[in-house]
Amino acid sequence: MLKEVDHSQEIINSIKVAIGTDTAVLHEPRFNGNEWTYLKDCLDSTFVSSVGQYVDRFEKELAGYTNAAHAVAVVNGTSALHMALQIVGVKSNDEVLIPSLTFVATANAVRYCGAIPHFVDSDFGTLGIDPVALRDHLKTTTDFINNQCINKQTGRVIRAIVPMHTFGHPVNINEILAVARDFHLVVIEDAAESLGSTVSGKHTGTFGELGIISFNGNKTITTGGGGAIITNNTELAKLAKHLTTTAKLPHRWEYTHDEVGYNYRMPNINAALGCAQLEQLPDFIDAKRHLFVKYQSAFADLPYVRLVSEPVDCHSNYWLQTLILDETIAEERNDILAATNEAGLMTRPIWNLLHNLKPFKGCPRMDLSVAISLEKRLLNLPSSVHLGEENKL
Ligand SMILES: *Cc1c(COP(=O)(O)O)cnc(C)c1O
């Protein structure tokens, strides 16, 4: 009898060859730059909270890096999404198009505005929204009334769309912008995972009206917890700053607030960490891109998997390395997850699709067959910066 191929063992061997060590976590932060210097300076200044120079500096440097006209630093990516949606006028009972294949924050932020997620299918190549399938869906299921896109089935206004750049790989943003123009939708980009990723040289998050970035501990750079809104629209940037800082009117001692605001401002101490991290971002991305090349050669001989690579004309930050199992071995996914994790190599499945989660079960959706297929077959691999560096410490 022929010996069956042990897929789990082959995958474990390939991961080890790629990363050059026997064990690894999924993604760990790295603090080898000016973190201690800036944090000490921040503590010495006593301005650790809502006042201090590091927030302004971080915003300026982030805007410079992304080539956005403005950046507004906030407490996390989820609050950035919440504010972005509110600022462009997403209201109670609106629908907002979002992928089913995304982190739960995208859908939660829609609900914070009282709006309803409308789930959209993904593309096998980018893992993000498929603009062709979406256009077909909107053509057959919506009408224009008073210049607004109306879901014929629910009668609700479809106000906005939130494309997400999955694991740092840019979505087909130009086609999505075209769909948004034709169906009168506002575009908010969930660029939480794609700091440093560009499309034809233009940074993700700067195509839509507003974009958001996350600096959570597991993202490409971290501020502990943190996020930002980026935009080229000066009015919207001002509004974002105002709303995220309790809507307080500037005055030396008076507390006057002209609307219901939010305490979403990034604390100075987090921004100090962010300034140090941002200095290292180009090196982090070089290492991550190099790690992809190493995975690519280590997996080249396994015909039953493929690695997700950057789309054409795009430059990806390769935040999380991603393996897709062939349909023929899809049912082995859980065995592969168990075997790799037991071997000390941390792997992870993709998020549960959002349309299946309890709070979003009844929400409108299009045919989601690509997302459903991807969910069954996708694994994230160890992706830390140090694994991709030539001279590992
Ligand atoms: C991380 C992430 C967020 C939220 O960011 P937090 O800073 O954790 O609130 C939103 N969307 C996506 C796709 C993310 O990966």
Side-chain angles (χ1 to χ4, degrees), residues 294-314:
K294 297 206 291 179
Y295 271 122
Q296 213 175 21
S297 82
F299 277 102
D301 294 334
L302 307 192
Y304 49 85
V305 295
R306 91 173 155 93
L307 284 159
V308 177
S309 61
E310 67 193 359
V312 274
D313 293 331
C314 295

PDB file of all heavy atoms in Angstrom, residues 294-314:
ATOM      1  N   LYS A 294      10.546  33.793   1.588  1.00  0.00           N
ATOM      2  CA  LYS A 294      11.032  32.549   2.200  1.00  0.00           C
ATOM      3  C   LYS A 294       9.923  31.499   2.295  1.00  0.00           C
ATOM      4  O   LYS A 294      10.143  30.317   2.015  1.00  0.00           O
ATOM      5  CB  LYS A 294      11.628  32.850   3.583  1.00  0.00           C
ATOM      6  CG  LYS A 294      12.864  33.770   3.481  1.00  0.00           C
ATOM      7  CD  LYS A 294      13.840  33.620   4.618  1.00  0.00           C
ATOM      8  CE  LYS A 294      13.296  34.129   5.928  1.00  0.00           C
ATOM      9  NZ  LYS A 294      14.278  33.945   7.024  1.00  0.00           N
ATOM     10  N   TYR A 295       8.718  31.933   2.656  1.00  0.00           N
ATOM     11  CA  TYR A 295       7.590  30.992   2.669  1.00  0.00           C
ATOM     12  C   TYR A 295       7.329  30.455   1.254  1.00  0.00           C
ATOM     13  O   TYR A 295       7.063  29.265   1.071  1.00  0.00           O
ATOM     14  CB  TYR A 295       6.317  31.673   3.187  1.00  0.00           C
ATOM     15  CG  TYR A 295       6.133  31.615   4.693  1.00  0.00           C
ATOM     16  CD1 TYR A 295       6.007  32.769   5.456  1.00  0.00           C
ATOM     17  CD2 TYR A 295       6.059  30.393   5.359  1.00  0.00           C
ATOM     18  CE1 TYR A 295       5.818  32.719   6.829  1.00  0.00           C
ATOM     19  CE2 TYR A 295       5.865  30.325   6.730  1.00  0.00           C
ATOM     20  CZ  TYR A 295       5.746  31.492   7.461  1.00  0.00           C
ATOM     21  OH  TYR A 295       5.561  31.430   8.813  1.00  0.00           O
ATOM     22  N   GLN A 296       7.421  31.364   0.297  1.00  0.00           N
ATOM     23  CA  GLN A 296       7.122  30.969  -1.082  1.00  0.00           C
ATOM     24  C   GLN A 296       8.056  29.836  -1.533  1.00  0.00           C
ATOM     25  O   GLN A 296       7.612  28.855  -2.112  1.00  0.00           O
ATOM     26  CB  GLN A 296       7.293  32.181  -1.987  1.00  0.00           C
ATOM     27  CG  GLN A 296       6.364  32.191  -3.146  1.00  0.00           C
ATOM     28  CD  GLN A 296       6.502  33.482  -3.943  1.00  0.00           C
ATOM     29  OE1 GLN A 296       7.509  34.180  -3.870  1.00  0.00           O
ATOM     30  NE2 GLN A 296       5.482  33.811  -4.701  1.00  0.00           N
ATOM     31  N   SER A 297       9.331  29.974  -1.227  1.00  0.00           N
ATOM     32  CA  SER A 297      10.228  28.916  -1.686  1.00  0.00           C
ATOM     33  C   SER A 297      10.058  27.657  -0.830  1.00  0.00           C
ATOM     34  O   SER A 297      10.155  26.545  -1.342  1.00  0.00           O
ATOM     35  CB  SER A 297      11.674  29.420  -1.767  1.00  0.00           C
ATOM     36  OG  SER A 297      12.271  29.382  -0.508  1.00  0.00           O
ATOM     37  N   ALA A 298       9.745  27.833   0.463  1.00  0.00           N
ATOM     38  CA  ALA A 298       9.570  26.653   1.318  1.00  0.00           C
ATOM     39  C   ALA A 298       8.309  25.855   0.954  1.00  0.00           C
ATOM     40  O   ALA A 298       8.240  24.654   1.187  1.00  0.00           O
ATOM     41  CB  ALA A 298       9.522  27.071   2.783  1.00  0.00           C
ATOM     42  N   PHE A 299       7.305  26.545   0.407  1.00  0.00           N
ATOM     43  CA  PHE A 299       6.054  25.864   0.065  1.00  0.00           C
ATOM     44  C   PHE A 299       5.953  25.514  -1.433  1.00  0.00           C
ATOM     45  O   PHE A 299       4.958  24.948  -1.859  1.00  0.00           O
ATOM     46  CB  PHE A 299       4.845  26.724   0.461  1.00  0.00           C
ATOM     47  CG  PHE A 299       4.462  26.585   1.912  1.00  0.00           C
ATOM     48  CD1 PHE A 299       4.812  27.562   2.834  1.00  0.00           C
ATOM     49  CD2 PHE A 299       3.767  25.473   2.354  1.00  0.00           C
ATOM     50  CE1 PHE A 299       4.473  27.436   4.176  1.00  0.00           C
ATOM     51  CE2 PHE A 299       3.418  25.328   3.697  1.00  0.00           C
ATOM     52  CZ  PHE A 299       3.775  26.315   4.605  1.00  0.00           C
ATOM     53  N   ALA A 300       7.016  25.842  -2.188  1.00  0.00           N
ATOM     54  CA  ALA A 300       6.936  25.692  -3.643  1.00  0.00           C
ATOM     55  C   ALA A 300       6.615  24.265  -4.078  1.00  0.00           C
ATOM     56  O   ALA A 300       5.959  24.046  -5.099  1.00  0.00           O
ATOM     57  CB  ALA A 300       8.245  26.153  -4.291  1.00  0.00           C
ATOM     58  N   ASP A 301       7.054  23.270  -3.302  1.00  0.00           N
ATOM     59  CA  ASP A 301       6.864  21.878  -3.717  1.00  0.00           C
ATOM     60  C   ASP A 301       5.573  21.243  -3.198  1.00  0.00           C
ATOM     61  O   ASP A 301       5.342  20.058  -3.428  1.00  0.00           O
ATOM     62  CB  ASP A 301       8.061  21.034  -3.252  1.00  0.00           C
ATOM     63  CG  ASP A 301       9.339  21.448  -3.974  1.00  0.00           C
ATOM     64  OD1 ASP A 301       9.214  21.976  -5.110  1.00  0.00           O
ATOM     65  OD2 ASP A 301      10.429  21.286  -3.400  1.00  0.00           O
ATOM     66  N   LEU A 302       4.771  21.987  -2.475  1.00  0.00           N
ATOM     67  CA  LEU A 302       3.510  21.422  -1.991  1.00  0.00           C
ATOM     68  C   LEU A 302       2.372  21.883  -2.897  1.00  0.00           C
ATOM     69  O   LEU A 302       1.943  23.025  -2.845  1.00  0.00           O
ATOM     70  CB  LEU A 302       3.224  21.859  -0.546  1.00  0.00           C
ATOM     71  CG  LEU A 302       4.315  21.614   0.505  1.00  0.00           C
ATOM     72  CD1 LEU A 302       3.748  21.820   1.906  1.00  0.00           C
ATOM     73  CD2 LEU A 302       4.905  20.223   0.378  1.00  0.00           C
ATOM     74  N   PRO A 303       1.884  20.980  -3.764  1.00  0.00           N
ATOM     75  CA  PRO A 303       0.896  21.391  -4.776  1.00  0.00           C
ATOM     76  C   PRO A 303      -0.487  21.661  -4.195  1.00  0.00           C
ATOM     77  O   PRO A 303      -1.335  22.220  -4.894  1.00  0.00           O
ATOM     78  CB  PRO A 303       0.858  20.177  -5.717  1.00  0.00           C
ATOM     79  CG  PRO A 303       1.277  19.032  -4.877  1.00  0.00           C
ATOM     80  CD  PRO A 303       2.226  19.560  -3.842  1.00  0.00           C
ATOM     81  N   TYR A 304      -0.728  21.295  -2.942  1.00  0.00           N
ATOM     82  CA  TYR A 304      -2.082  21.390  -2.385  1.00  0.00           C
ATOM     83  C   TYR A 304      -2.282  22.647  -1.531  1.00  0.00           C
ATOM     84  O   TYR A 304      -3.259  22.762  -0.794  1.00  0.00           O
ATOM     85  CB  TYR A 304      -2.399  20.128  -1.560  1.00  0.00           C
ATOM     86  CG  TYR A 304      -1.309  19.771  -0.566  1.00  0.00           C
ATOM     87  CD1 TYR A 304      -1.278  20.351   0.686  1.00  0.00           C
ATOM     88  CD2 TYR A 304      -0.295  18.864  -0.911  1.00  0.00           C
ATOM     89  CE1 TYR A 304      -0.267  20.046   1.582  1.00  0.00           C
ATOM     90  CE2 TYR A 304       0.714  18.548  -0.032  1.00  0.00           C
ATOM     91  CZ  TYR A 304       0.715  19.154   1.221  1.00  0.00           C
ATOM     92  OH  TYR A 304       1.720  18.863   2.094  1.00  0.00           O
ATOM     93  N   VAL A 305      -1.340  23.597  -1.614  1.00  0.00           N
ATOM     94  CA  VAL A 305      -1.520  24.874  -0.914  1.00  0.00           C
ATOM     95  C   VAL A 305      -1.090  26.016  -1.839  1.00  0.00           C
ATOM     96  O   VAL A 305      -0.320  25.815  -2.774  1.00  0.00           O
ATOM     97  CB  VAL A 305      -0.658  24.977   0.376  1.00  0.00           C
ATOM     98  CG1 VAL A 305      -1.085  23.963   1.402  1.00  0.00           C
ATOM     99  CG2 VAL A 305       0.826  24.867   0.060  1.00  0.00           C
ATOM    100  N   ARG A 306      -1.621  27.204  -1.551  1.00  0.00           N
ATOM    101  CA  ARG A 306      -1.063  28.396  -2.193  1.00  0.00           C
ATOM    102  C   ARG A 306      -0.948  29.494  -1.156  1.00  0.00           C
ATOM    103  O   ARG A 306      -1.737  29.571  -0.209  1.00  0.00           O
ATOM    104  CB  ARG A 306      -1.899  28.819  -3.402  1.00  0.00           C
ATOM    105  CG  ARG A 306      -3.002  29.811  -3.111  1.00  0.00           C
ATOM    106  CD  ARG A 306      -3.678  30.310  -4.398  1.00  0.00           C
ATOM    107  NE  ARG A 306      -5.042  30.755  -4.122  1.00  0.00           N
ATOM    108  CZ  ARG A 306      -5.351  32.031  -3.834  1.00  0.00           C
ATOM    109  NH1 ARG A 306      -4.431  32.958  -3.788  1.00  0.00           N
ATOM    110  NH2 ARG A 306      -6.610  32.367  -3.579  1.00  0.00           N
ATOM    111  N   LEU A 307       0.068  30.345  -1.318  1.00  0.00           N
ATOM    112  CA  LEU A 307       0.248  31.497  -0.438  1.00  0.00           C
ATOM    113  C   LEU A 307      -0.420  32.704  -1.077  1.00  0.00           C
ATOM    114  O   LEU A 307      -0.381  32.860  -2.299  1.00  0.00           O
ATOM    115  CB  LEU A 307       1.735  31.787  -0.268  1.00  0.00           C
ATOM    116  CG  LEU A 307       2.492  30.845   0.668  1.00  0.00           C
ATOM    117  CD1 LEU A 307       3.985  30.898   0.372  1.00  0.00           C
ATOM    118  CD2 LEU A 307       2.229  31.201   2.125  1.00  0.00           C
ATOM    119  N   VAL A 308      -1.031  33.524  -0.248  1.00  0.00           N
ATOM    120  CA  VAL A 308      -1.641  34.744  -0.785  1.00  0.00           C
ATOM    121  C   VAL A 308      -0.528  35.754  -1.042  1.00  0.00           C
ATOM    122  O   VAL A 308       0.293  36.031  -0.160  1.00  0.00           O
ATOM    123  CB  VAL A 308      -2.676  35.324   0.201  1.00  0.00           C
ATOM    124  CG1 VAL A 308      -3.257  36.628  -0.347  1.00  0.00           C
ATOM    125  CG2 VAL A 308      -3.785  34.308   0.444  1.00  0.00           C
ATOM    126  N   SER A 309      -0.480  36.267  -2.272  1.00  0.00           N
ATOM    127  CA  SER A 309       0.561  37.227  -2.636  1.00  0.00           C
ATOM    128  C   SER A 309      -0.070  38.542  -3.058  1.00  0.00           C
ATOM    129  O   SER A 309      -1.273  38.611  -3.311  1.00  0.00           O
ATOM    130  CB  SER A 309       1.419  36.666  -3.770  1.00  0.00           C
ATOM    131  OG  SER A 309       0.611  36.431  -4.891  1.00  0.00           O
ATOM    132  N   GLU A 310       0.749  39.582  -3.148  1.00  0.00           N
ATOM    133  CA  GLU A 310       0.172  40.909  -3.403  1.00  0.00           C
ATOM    134  C   GLU A 310      -0.458  40.975  -4.792  1.00  0.00           C
ATOM    135  O   GLU A 310       0.082  40.427  -5.756  1.00  0.00           O
ATOM    136  CB  GLU A 310       1.233  41.999  -3.231  1.00  0.00           C
ATOM    137  CG  GLU A 310       2.337  41.975  -4.246  1.00  0.00           C
ATOM    138  CD  GLU A 310       3.504  42.870  -3.849  1.00  0.00           C
ATOM    139  OE1 GLU A 310       3.455  43.529  -2.806  1.00  0.00           O
ATOM    140  OE2 GLU A 310       4.490  42.878  -4.600  1.00  0.00           O
ATOM    141  N   PRO A 311      -1.605  41.656  -4.904  1.00  0.00           N
ATOM    142  CA  PRO A 311      -2.264  41.808  -6.199  1.00  0.00           C
ATOM    143  C   PRO A 311      -1.407  42.656  -7.148  1.00  0.00           C
ATOM    144  O   PRO A 311      -0.511  43.369  -6.702  1.00  0.00           O
ATOM    145  CB  PRO A 311      -3.565  42.541  -5.862  1.00  0.00           C
ATOM    146  CG  PRO A 311      -3.772  42.335  -4.393  1.00  0.00           C
ATOM    147  CD  PRO A 311      -2.396  42.242  -3.810  1.00  0.00           C
ATOM    148  N   VAL A 312      -1.692  42.578  -8.457  1.00  0.00           N
ATOM    149  CA  VAL A 312      -0.901  43.353  -9.439  1.00  0.00           C
ATOM    150  C   VAL A 312      -1.013  44.848  -9.152  1.00  0.00           C
ATOM    151  O   VAL A 312      -2.052  45.334  -8.714  1.00  0.00           O
ATOM    152  CB  VAL A 312      -1.355  43.110 -10.909  1.00  0.00           C
ATOM    153  CG1 VAL A 312      -0.667  41.904 -11.494  1.00  0.00           C
ATOM    154  CG2 VAL A 312      -2.860  43.019 -11.010  1.00  0.00           C
ATOM    155  N   ASP A 313       0.085  45.535  -9.419  1.00  0.00           N
ATOM    156  CA  ASP A 313       0.183  46.989  -9.191  1.00  0.00           C
ATOM    157  C   ASP A 313       0.088  47.380  -7.722  1.00  0.00           C
ATOM    158  O   ASP A 313      -0.083  48.545  -7.401  1.00  0.00           O
ATOM    159  CB  ASP A 313      -0.894  47.771  -9.984  1.00  0.00           C
ATOM    160  CG  ASP A 313      -0.662  47.681 -11.471  1.00  0.00           C
ATOM    161  OD1 ASP A 313       0.514  47.546 -11.875  1.00  0.00           O
ATOM    162  OD2 ASP A 313      -1.655  47.718 -12.224  1.00  0.00           O
ATOM    163  N   CYS A 314       0.117  46.382  -6.844  1.00  0.00           N
ATOM    164  CA  CYS A 314       0.013  46.683  -5.417  1.00  0.00           C
ATOM    165  C   CYS A 314       1.313  46.340  -4.700  1.00  0.00           C
ATOM    166  O   CYS A 314       2.092  45.507  -5.164  1.00  0.00           O
ATOM    167  CB  CYS A 314      -1.118  45.870  -4.778  1.00  0.00           C
ATOM    168  SG  CYS A 314      -2.740  46.314  -5.402  1.00  0.00           S
TER     169      CYS A 314
END
